[in-house]
Amino acid sequence: MIRQIWPPEAGRELGTDDLEALYRFPDVAKWLVVNFVSSTDGAITVAGRSRPLSTAPDRVVFKLGSDLADVVLLGAGTAVIEEFDGVHPDPETADRRRRHGLEPIPPIAVVTTGRSLPPDAPVLTRAAVPTIVLTCERAPADLRAAWVAAGAEVVVAGEDAVALDVAVAALTERGLRRIDCEGGPKLFASLAEAGLVDEFRLTVAPYLVAGTADRAAVGGAFDPLELELATVLTDGASLLTRYLVP
């Protein structure tokens, strides 16, 4: 059972309806959420993958992110390493999206400057709805054509690198204003640097990993951002936090 422990006056056990209410996106022009799971010592991967760190309550709230979003945003490296193949709704997801007035399946938007996204990547070839590739002029024309041939919609935003403000605007112009970002760390840092992150959801899993794994945000050049702690949940082992970016 997942229990809310912050704010302290809200301490209670949460059912499915409570969690949906807590994790739903606000009704605003754009809301971009970033999701990560980390070990207690800050590692976000084990042997290069995040899945070994994910706990049962983390999977619950992680699923709520994409279930309640208009679009799922990913860096190409994360999409390829995690062998992500898009959202394939189970009955619970289908019902949840119907009740919240969302399209049956959220598309995936993948950020890449080029070679990090091969045309045969599962996120392109096995997605249930066409994937949106957010790229730049630097990406070779033949590669862009191959992405289209694989079934993707290609959006060029920027010249030598992807201009994330332009890319996010392209999503919102398509009515995809509830944006659920699922990594990776370089994309997170770039989104934060551009001032595009509205909410950070971090699960601290009860594992000690050590080693040289990345942290949630890598790169970027900005002063430390002071975040506002919105909620903390726990099942007695994992901590499920939500921070707002002022």
Side-chain angles (χ1 to χ4, degrees), residues 41-228:
D41 57 326
I44 62 164
T45 58
V46 175
R49 292 174 177 260
S50 62
R51 292 178 190 175
L53 289 172
S54 184
T55 60
D58 174 64
R59 289 189 287 274
V60 170
V61 299
F62 185 78
K63 185 173 185 289
L64 281 166
S66 58
D67 281 2
L68 297 173
D70 293 316
V71 61
V72 176
L73 181 65
L74 284 170
T78 296
V80 171
I81 290 170
E82 299 286 348
E83 299 179 341
F84 193 73
D85 63 356
V87 176
H88 300 271
D90 57 20
E92 179 186 47
T93 293
D95 176 68
R96 180 175 285 153
R97 295 186 67 81
R98 177 189 57 78
R99 287 187 287 102
H100 287 269
L102 300 168
E103 291 296 320
I105 303 174
I108 309 304
V110 182
V111 177
T112 180
T113 56
R115 300 297 180 185
S116 57
L117 184 65
D120 61 351
V123 72
L124 301 179
T125 61
R126 301 212 305 258
V129 295
T131 293
I132 302 168
V133 178
L134 303 170
T135 190
C136 57
E137 294 286 357
R138 173 183 170 187
D142 58 343
L143 183 56
R144 282 186 258 162
W147 291 333
V148 172
E153 176 187 358
V154 176
V155 175
V156 177
E159 297 183 3
D160 292 331
V162 179
L164 290 173
D165 56 341
V166 177
V168 169
L171 297 179
T172 60
E173 288 165 5
R174 288 163 171 74
L176 307 175
R177 59 188 179 84
R178 306 172 186 90
I179 304 170
D180 178 52
C181 179
E182 298 183 356
K186 291 182 180 178
L187 177 58
F188 180 18
S190 297
L191 288 167
E193 183 179 15
L196 295 168
V197 178
D198 299 293
E199 183 178 337
F200 178 36
R201 299 175 180 175
L202 174 67
T203 294
V204 180
Y207 302 120
L208 183 63
V209 173
T212 58
D214 281 340
R215 59 200 225 180
V218 173
F222 52 88
D223 292 333
L225 296 175
E226 183 175 356
L227 307 180
E228 177 186 339

